[in-house]
Amino acid sequence: MSGNGAVWGRVRSRLRAFPECLAACGAEAAAYGRCVQASTAPGGCLKKDLCAQEFEALRSCFAAAAKNTLTGGR
């Protein structure tokens, strides 16, 4: 069962890094949020892949920030 503790340690470290990763991608998160908000405004219609470009930019930024945070910038 000692291996199970190692898994939970990695999960906890990733969760602790989440706020830092999100802060590193503020512009992308804001752009995605604006897109979703605009499509759900009165008269708007949120559809699949409507904000795909903004989401992909946010996902890429977050993945890069997580990699830098979890590896110590290596």
Side-chain angles (χ1 to χ4, degrees), residues 6-65:
V7 169
W8 285 111
R10 286 194 306 269
V11 169
R12 277 190 219 100
S13 71
R14 289 180 185 147
L15 287 174
R16 279 188 221 108
F18 184 82
E20 188 177 332
C21 295
L22 189 57
C25 300
E28 290 83 355
Y32 180 65
R34 280 191 301 273
C35 180
V36 170
Q37 181 183 22
S39 60
T40 58
C45 184
L46 185 60
K47 294 182 181 173
K48 184 178 178 185
D49 295 334
L50 187 63
C51 299
Q53 183 178 0
E54 292 83 354
F55 178 78
E56 184 58 33
L58 177 58
R59 190 196 67 74
S60 297
C61 178
F62 195 83

